[in-house]
């Protein structure tokens, strides 16, 4: 048993959908969340810079005595996961591999779509990981850069997000794909719109939910589950807490016990 | 006469619309542009952080021997212009005051709309500056956070940007406004869509164009015009040049002679 918290981090607020998935499936685990809001977004930044940010935040979370780290950011998981796994002596789980394993379970025709930021799609991390599992699997990636601001605006249903999704999903729909990975932590909030536009024949894989399943199995293997009577969820942001506080409730159903500013750089 | 370059900076790529306006109205002036792409966007960051960034970039431009600095960023002009004007001994021009003076010339009914990022609208900088000029003037601000990703996606015409503009302009249209300030450097690329949705009775004020007019008059007053035979436009970005290079052509018609990476922090 280990009652220390799970550390979770993302470039901004989106990783709270992963916190939501963790909180729902593990009601006794405390969570420390870092949103690097001073430096968001990571999606248009270089690999070297993202690796530097990831090292700084991981180091901070370890100093807060976390027992396991979840990289709740597709960009960091794509570009910096290996780097921090090599550098730090603690279990670190990204969102790419869990999403890939879940998609492979779901697809029947081995045609998988991936939605994500420009950086995630450009890196082809999901494609590479999918082909490692099933050589010859067909992967169609589509960057959807308007989805994040749509979610932050709260426009997740109705004609505006539907028309944008229609424009983005042209190539996905033509490719007779049966499974689509939501490869960005903001996207689960657009779940119903994405489902509506893609149609009932396409299954959606939420990387956050898939990641929570992997975290459960790692905690189980390493005997790191908490047996605390209650748990807390604490958020830390690198810029002002105002905007974060307003938006956070949309991303995570469980109550967030505190939101604090921290300086990591 | 002074053949040193004009320094221009913005949080990212948007300030190139100001470079475009400067380049068109002053064909002999060389320009050094800094896009702080490693730390973009500024719109959701705190005042203290934006002031720190503005000082660092201004200092860098002065070290490159610029004769005058244009802050081609509404967020910096709102939150950090006074700070850098006090700190550095060089003419520094923001985009708020020129936009305000142009709007006052254009409006006939003293009802002015302002479109901008969340931070610019929240700061009410345009409103404060407008009321300083005309007490009692009616100002209606509207944050349009989807406009920047729309422009960067290249979706500047057609039903998607028009429907988004329609959703944003509800309050503007109800207020019988006759003049609207484009208070974000990306927005001039949406000019025709914004015009179409607002209708012919509303005049648009491009802060970048208004700023170029003020720069001309300052260079004239201080006898700082260039008499060089040719000029150059050089861009410097704080993150990788790839994305910047692809997008830059949409923002500025004049050829950009070079794009280089710099490290300011």
């Amino acid at each position: 048993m280990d009652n220390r918290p799970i550390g979770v981090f993302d470039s901004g607020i989106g990783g709270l959908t992963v916190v939501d998935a963790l909180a729902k499936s593990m009601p006794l685990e405390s969570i420390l969340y870092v949103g690097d809001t001073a430096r968001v977004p990571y999606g248009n930044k270089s690999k070297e810079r993202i690796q530097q940010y990831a090292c700084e935040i991981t180091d901070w979370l370890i100093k807060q005595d976390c027992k396991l780290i979840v990289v709740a950011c597709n960009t960091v998981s794509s570009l910096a996961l290996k780097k921090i796994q090599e550098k730090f002596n603690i279990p670190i789980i990204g969102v790419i591999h869990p999403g890939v394993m879940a998609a492979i379970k779901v697809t029947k025709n081995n045609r998988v779509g991936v939605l994500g930021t420009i950086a995630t799609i450009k890196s082809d991390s999901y494609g590479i990981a999918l082909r490692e599992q099933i050589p010859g699997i067909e992967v169609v990636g589509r960057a959807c850069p308007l989805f994040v601001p749509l979610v932050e605006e709260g426009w997740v249903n109705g004609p505006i997000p539907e028309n944008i999704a229609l424009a983005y999903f042209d190539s996905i729909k033509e490719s007779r794909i049966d499974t689509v990975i939501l490869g960005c932590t903001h996207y689960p909030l657009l779940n119903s719109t994405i489902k509506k536009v893609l149609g009932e024949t396409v299954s959606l894989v939420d990387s956050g939910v898939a990641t929570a399943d992997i975290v459960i199995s790692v905690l189980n293997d390493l005997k790191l589950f908490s047996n605390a009577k209650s748990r807390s969820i604490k958020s830390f942001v690198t810029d002002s807490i105002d905007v974060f506080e307003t938006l956070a409730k949309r991303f995570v159903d469980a109550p967030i016990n505190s939101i604090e500013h921290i300086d990591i750089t």
Side-chain angles (χ1 to χ4, degrees), chain A residues 194-205:
Chain A
I194 294 171
K195 228 172 209 160
K196 187 171 173 187
V197 173
L198 285 177
E200 287 301 318
T201 55
V202 178
S203 304
L204 296 191
V205 170

Side-chain angles (χ1 to χ4, degrees), chain A residues 4-5 23-24 35 54 70 81-82 189 204 220 245:
Chain A
R4 292 179 299 157
K24 278 176 179 150
V70 177
L81 185 65
K82 266 189 198 160
L189 278 83
L204 296 191
N220 190 42
E245 207 164 19

Side-chain angles (χ1 to χ4, degrees), chain A residues 8-254:
Chain A
V8 182
F9 75 92
D10 182 30
S11 55
I13 197 164
L16 286 179
T17 59
V18 181
V19 171
D20 187 58
L22 294 167
K24 278 176 179 150
S25 57
M26 285 166 274
L28 296 184
E29 298 297 330
S30 286
I31 298 171
L32 297 191
Y33 179 78
V34 172
D36 192 7
T37 49
R39 304 187 289 198
V40 71
Y42 286 2
N44 53 0
K45 296 188 172 67
S46 63
K47 186 175 178 175
E48 292 68 31
R49 201 164 290 272
I50 286 162
Q51 289 183 339
Q52 172 206 327
Y53 295 171
C55 287
E56 289 166 0
I57 299 170
T58 304
D59 189 51
W60 188 88
L61 282 168
I62 290 172
K63 282 180 182 147
Q64 310 310 307
D65 203 23
C66 288
K67 62 183 169 188
L68 176 147
I69 308 275
V70 177
V71 179
C73 173
N74 284 274
T75 308
V76 175
S77 298
S78 298
L79 302 177
L81 185 65
K82 266 189 198 160
K83 176 94 181 173
I84 54 174
Q85 282 175 333
E86 281 165 16
K87 185 166 178 174
F88 299 98
N89 185 27
I90 185 173
I92 304 179
I93 295 164
V95 285
I96 307 280
H97 186 72
V100 162
M101 298 315 285
I104 283 170
K105 268 193 204 162
V106 172
T107 182
K108 283 170 189 149
N109 67 1
N110 281 350
R111 292 168 181 271
V112 175
V114 181
L115 310 178
T117 63
I118 292 171
T120 297
I121 298 307
K122 204 174 154 195
S123 74
D124 194 31
S125 313
Y126 279 98
I128 293 165
L130 283 161
R131 284 186 294 270
E132 264 173 25
Q133 300 298 324
I134 304 182
I137 191 169
E138 192 178 331
V139 183
V140 179
R142 183 62 165 105
C144 310
L146 277 155
F147 278 3
V148 168
L150 272 177
V151 165
E152 297 196 350
E153 193 70 321
W155 292 356
V156 293
N157 291 300
I160 288 176
E162 280 171 26
N163 286 329
I164 291 171
L166 264 173
Y168 280 143
F169 295 166
D170 257 11
S171 53
I172 298 261
K173 293 185 90 166
E174 276 169 13
S175 311
R176 295 185 297 116
I177 272 161
D178 73 349
T179 305
V180 164
I181 299 174
L182 303 182
C184 170
T185 51
H186 276 70
Y187 296 2
L189 278 83
L190 284 162
N191 205 304
S192 65
T193 290
I194 294 171
K195 228 172 209 160
K196 187 171 173 187
V197 173
L198 285 177
E200 287 301 318
T201 55
V202 178
S203 304
L204 296 191
V205 170
D206 180 336
S207 286
V209 172
T211 302
D213 293 341
I214 300 286
V215 170
I216 289 176
S217 90
V218 171
L219 291 180
N220 190 42
D221 289 351
L222 301 176
K223 307 203 187 310
L224 290 177
F225 275 122
S226 162
N227 64 352
K229 295 240 168 74
S230 69
R231 65 100 170 275
S232 67
I233 300 177
K234 294 180 180 172
S235 281
F236 300 87
V237 292
T238 53
D239 212 318
S240 83
I241 64 168
D242 302 356
V243 183
F244 189 89
E245 207 164 19
T246 317
L247 290 179
K249 290 182 198 86
R250 287 193 213 145
F251 286 76
V252 53
D253 288 333

